Amino acid sequence: MAKKLPPPGPVPAGQHPGCDTSGMILVHRIFRWLYRELPQLVREVGPGDTARSAIVGRYAYLDFFALHMHHETEDMVLWDRLEAREPACSLHVGQMRAQHAEVAVRLARIEPQLEPWVATADAGLRDAFATDIEGLRDLLSAHLGQEEDDILPVAGEVMSQQEWDFMEEHTRATLMAHRKELGKDVMSLQVGLLIASVPEAEREDWVRANVPAPIRLLYALLMKRRYDNAMRELYPDRPVPSMV
């Protein structure tokens, strides 16, 4: 379980402002890839092919869960702290809050469509579902870009590394808490997608520097196989599209 996050306000005693936010670029790269790929995967499901709609639907559910979790974590950690420590950022924070609210509205429209489409693989339901996901994709793309331009530089200056790291800790704890619901391979998917988000030429060094040795060993022995199996399930007839 993630440790308790101190309330918003000054940097907690014993901590110092300044943190490395570069990992968020990788997370955003994953979300861009997920929501670029998902509408196409949905549209490729043939009418009545419920075996395939069940596979794609399972990963769609994970995509929606991940986006909810990511935004809820940012809402918990970032906005109040940035406003308190850098009031000039309030306009951009307000835009982030509004965009998160709009993403939530889009998800509320999209998610109820998942189960009926999975159950029937109906072509009309499929196309409406994919179209709404494409709308979310476009909104998300603009939001992520603005967050990278306007929020990450400020967060890097005014938040402590411990505060920033809480987001990763909270994400990991949430995934573990929902592991039964999400599937036993969810942690393998998380690590595998994160590694895939790093350019191949930099990947080996990045993994050595950022993935603890016990996780590297577990990934080599078990998690990579689970991740590769998931990608083959999603892309049985073509290579997995690159994120970078």
Side-chain angles (χ1 to χ4, degrees):
M1 178 176 291
K3 61 181 179 289
K4 186 176 180 181
L5 185 69
V11 174
Q15 300 180 20
H16 306 282
C19 62
D20 178 6
T21 65
S22 61
M24 188 67 82
I25 301 297
L26 303 183
V27 172
H28 284 185
R29 192 173 289 161
I30 293 170
F31 277 114
R32 288 186 175 101
W33 183 82
L34 291 174
Y35 283 88
R36 182 192 78 202
E37 291 296 311
L38 183 56
Q40 180 178 345
L41 290 167
V42 170
R43 290 191 187 279
E44 289 172 349
V45 176
D49 187 352
T50 54
R52 182 62 182 168
S53 68
I55 291 171
V56 174
R58 189 248 167 163
Y59 291 100
Y61 178 83
L62 293 176
D63 293 351
F64 302 151
F65 184 95
L67 185 52
H68 276 299
M69 177 178 62
H70 177 64
H71 278 186
E72 288 167 3
T73 303
E74 288 185 329
D75 292 344
M76 178 194 314
V77 176
L78 292 180
W79 312 138
D80 290 345
R81 284 170 176 76
L82 296 185
E83 285 184 320
R85 297 174 194 174
E86 184 51 82
C89 192
S90 293
L91 174 62
H92 293 142
V93 167
Q95 292 169 338
M96 293 296 105
R97 293 185 194 272
Q99 290 168 11
H100 277 202
E102 178 60 23
V103 167
V105 168
R106 300 289 184 106
L107 284 169
R109 173 175 174 172
I110 290 169
E111 288 175 297
Q113 300 177 52
L114 176 59
E115 187 174 347
W117 171 67
V118 166
T120 63
D122 176 82
L125 296 178
R126 174 199 65 200
D127 292 344
F129 185 45
T131 296
D132 281 346
I133 297 170
E134 287 164 346
L136 174 59
R137 173 202 63 200
D138 295 343
L139 172 65
L140 191 60
S141 178
H143 165 68
L144 297 177
Q146 185 177 352
E147 187 173 288
E148 290 165 3
D149 291 342
D150 297 334
I151 297 297
L152 295 189
V154 178
E157 292 180 358
V158 305
M159 292 183 62
S160 72
Q161 191 64 51
Q162 293 93 325
E163 290 174 309
W164 187 261
D165 290 345
F166 176 88
M167 290 192 287
E168 180 182 349
E169 296 165 8
H170 183 265
T171 294
R172 186 164 54 247
T174 301
L175 290 176
M176 288 300 294
H178 291 268
R179 194 175 179 190
K180 184 175 181 181
E181 165 194 350
L182 299 174
K184 65 181 181 180
D185 61 348
V186 66
M187 301 305 296
S188 303
L189 284 169
Q190 183 202 24
V191 177
L193 288 171
L194 194 57
I195 292 172
S197 73
V198 180
E200 190 169 358
E202 305 168 16
R203 200 168 290 165
E204 185 176 345
D205 289 341
W206 184 90
V207 168
R208 190 178 299 111
N210 292 278
V211 181
I215 302 299
R216 293 202 304 270
L217 179 60
L218 184 60
Y219 188 74
L221 294 177
L222 175 64
M223 299 171 80
K224 186 177 188 302
R225 183 167 68 251
R226 288 181 173 177
Y227 174 76
D228 289 342
N229 288 342
M231 292 300 103
R232 278 194 296 270
E233 187 174 45
L234 269 180
Y235 299 97
D237 55 0
R238 65 182 186 272
V240 178
S242 175
M243 287 189 201
V244 293

